[in-house]
């Protein structure tokens, strides 16, 4: 099974580990965070975006989102 860490080929496991590190860095997470902490943060971010879309509609551009976000503060 390719997704079993014990039997996964080393190059695939290394690629997964590198991908995890990159994604963690993009989200500003540190490697000490638990999966529970990460999941909680992702759910909070999802809720924020869902609330935004419900209130403002889907933004056309990132700048629209930032402008509306700043106006809500």
């Amino acid at each position: 099974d390719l997704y079993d860490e014990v039997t996964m080929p080393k190059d695939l496991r290394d690629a997964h580990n590198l991908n995890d590190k990159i994604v963690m860095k993009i989200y500003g997470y540190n490697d000490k965070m638990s999966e529970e902490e990460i999941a909680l943060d992702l759910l909070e971010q999802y809720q924020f975006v869902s609330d935004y879309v419900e209130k403002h509609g889907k933004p056309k551009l990132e700048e629209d989102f930032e402008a509306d976000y700043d106006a809500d503060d």
Side-chain angles (χ1 to χ4, degrees):
D1 185 27
L2 285 179
Y3 292 99
D4 179 340
E5 287 206 23
V6 174
T7 60
M8 181 185 294
K10 182 181 180 334
D11 59 338
L12 181 58
R13 185 174 48 250
D14 291 345
H16 275 274
N17 289 338
L18 178 59
N19 185 66
D20 289 347
K21 287 179 182 180
I22 292 169
V23 170
M24 295 283 282
K25 186 171 185 169
I26 289 169
Y27 278 91
Y29 299 155
N30 67 60
D31 59 355
K32 304 284 189 247
M33 290 178 72
S34 68
E35 287 189 25
E36 183 178 306
E37 291 171 315
I38 294 168
L40 179 60
D41 185 71
L42 290 173
L43 288 171
E44 288 172 352
Q45 290 186 50
Y46 175 80
Q47 185 64 54
F48 174 82
V49 172
S50 295
D51 291 347
Y52 173 89
V53 169
E54 186 175 313
K55 183 176 180 181
H56 300 283
K58 184 178 177 185
K60 294 181 186 77
L61 300 170
E62 183 177 334
E63 293 82 19
D64 296 337
F65 178 79
E66 290 172 354
D68 288 341
Y69 175 75
D70 291 339
D72 287 345
D73 288 344

